[in-house]
Amino acid sequence: MSDLPSTPELRLLDALFRLSKSVLADARTHVTAAADLDLGDFLVLRSIQFGADSPGALAADLGLNPAVVSRSLTKLVKEGLVERRLDPDDSRRSRVELTEKGTRTNALIAARVRPGVAERLGRLDPDRVAALLDGLEAL
């Protein structure tokens, strides 16, 4: 064991890394099993569901390179999960929205991912869960 000081900042970094590694591995498994998508595609669907309505907004929301978002959108449009059309106010831009199939697929994947996350959160009492989520949202 190291005798380096364990600061709150480094504890947070370590905890987030371990948690994200575990949760994302579980999510990848469910996304792939539920649809012919990868985790990034699912996150694009989720981001559209929460209001990102253009490729630029998706790239900003997810912190992804616009080229990655463009490839994902091309795949999602081809799969019939997203509809992409020209922005009526600016023909240089496009708008995206979920199709009915996209909404159903998003819900199906979310339903498969939710129990694993719930199991992890279930290790904490409800007050700690609320404090954790409030703290993470504040960061």
Side-chain angles (χ1 to χ4, degrees), residues 1 5 11 14 22-23 25 28 32 42 44 50 58 63 66-67 73 82 88 93 96-97 111 114 136 139:
M1 190 60 105
R11 284 183 62 202
D14 293 340
S22 169
V23 170
R28 275 187 196 92
T32 303
F42 174 58
V44 168
F50 291 126
L58 288 165
L73 284 172
V82 170
R93 302 177 58 138
V96 294
E97 64 181 276
R114 197 174 298 118
L136 289 174
L139 295 176

Side-chain angles (χ1 to χ4, degrees), residues 64-134:
L64 296 174
N65 183 298
V68 172
V69 170
S70 180
R71 280 192 297 276
S72 180
L73 284 172
T74 297
K75 179 180 180 179
L76 295 170
V77 167
K78 191 179 290 187
E79 294 291 326
L81 303 172
V82 170
E83 188 172 286
R84 188 179 205 167
R85 53 177 85 121
L86 287 178
D87 183 329
D89 298 325
D90 184 348
S91 62
R92 296 169 296 171
R93 302 177 58 138
S94 63
R95 295 285 175 205
V96 294
E97 64 181 276
L98 295 181
T99 62
E100 276 188 46
K101 181 180 178 185
T103 300
R104 285 192 313 271
T105 300
N106 199 20
L108 173 68
I109 295 169
R112 290 182 65 118
V113 170
R114 197 174 298 118
V117 177
E119 186 274 324
R120 286 172 177 85
L121 289 175
R123 297 174 194 167
L124 303 173
D125 66 64
D127 290 338
R128 288 186 78 189
V129 171
L132 171 68
L133 295 176
D134 288 346

